[in-house]
Amino acid sequence: MLYELSVEIMPKPGIADPEGATILRALHALGFDVTKRVAVGKVIKLQVEADTGEEALQAAESMAAKLLANPVIEVARVSLVQEHVASTD
Amino acid sequence: MLYELSVEIMPKPGIADPEGATILRALHALGFDVTKRVAVGKVIKLQVEADTGEEALQAAESMAAKLLANPVIEVARVSLVQEHVASTD
């Protein structure tokens, strides 16, 4: 079965986030003073073939640890978005 | 009150995603043949001061439309992550 997973990768607290700082300034310049903080990260959507959702999650966590995220400066959070994705191939 | 929101920005279907294609090749090279598709986008976490969650959502959607996403090539999805964030200022 094909599962859709989402890997959200954010900079660790304390790691510089210049893109976030720039967006915060730009939002204030546009009048969005209600915005107090901005952090920018990456999201990687995966479609993974597996027998169970648990197996798909474990595979995605292994991919995040081995390739997708840099554990020195980033935190990765893997979540199952959808089971039984209709194959489009 | 301070609300935490997440804006997920993905390339529209049909828009080239070279980063996703590169990650898919790299995953296959590492033996993760179970991965059938990869798409890479951005996630922007916002802390927004508002009276209600609905008001915070509307503000974030307006920010996404005006600055955060490029509607020609990207799709933005705004969601409320958490209400009553403890202020850290």
Side-chain angles (χ1 to χ4, degrees):
Chain A
M1 274 179 292
L2 205 52
Y3 292 86
E4 186 170 332
L5 300 110
S6 178
V7 183
E8 199 179 274
I9 298 165
M10 299 298 297
K12 278 192 177 170
I15 296 292
D17 179 6
E19 196 175 354
T22 302
I23 290 175
L24 183 60
R25 277 198 304 275
L27 286 172
H28 287 176
L30 284 172
F32 291 111
D33 297 316
V34 291
T35 309
K36 302 304 177 194
R37 190 159 301 188
V38 177
V40 179
K42 254 191 314 197
V43 59
I44 302 176
K45 304 271 191 189
L46 303 169
Q47 287 189 4
V48 172
E49 187 77 42
D51 291 332
T52 65
E54 186 55 38
E55 190 187 310
L57 260 178
Q58 279 175 9
E61 264 158 23
S62 173
M63 292 175 216
K66 284 192 184 140
L67 180 77
L68 305 177
N70 176 352
V72 177
I73 55 167
E74 295 171 329
V75 182
R77 202 174 53 80
V78 181
S79 54
L80 194 62
V81 177
Q82 203 186 342
E83 306 190 15
H84 306 282
V85 179
S87 179
T88 52
D89 295 323
Chain B
M1 272 180 293
L2 206 52
Y3 291 86
E4 185 169 334
L5 300 109
S6 179
V7 183
E8 199 179 272
I9 299 166
M10 298 298 298
K12 278 191 176 169
I15 298 292
D17 179 6
E19 195 176 353
T22 302
I23 290 175
L24 184 59
R25 276 198 306 275
L27 286 173
H28 286 176
L30 284 173
F32 291 110
D33 298 316
V34 291
T35 308
K36 301 305 177 193
R37 189 158 303 188
V38 177
V40 179
K42 251 190 318 196
V43 59
I44 302 177
K45 303 271 189 187
L46 303 169
Q47 287 191 2
V48 172
E49 187 77 43
D51 291 333
T52 65
E54 186 54 40
E55 191 187 309
L57 260 179
Q58 280 175 10
E61 263 157 22
S62 174
M63 293 176 216
K66 284 191 184 144
L67 179 76
L68 305 178
N70 177 351
V72 177
I73 56 167
E74 295 170 329
V75 182
R77 201 173 54 80
V78 181
S79 55
L80 194 60
V81 177
Q82 202 186 343
E83 306 190 15
H84 305 281
V85 179
S87 178
T88 52
D89 297 324

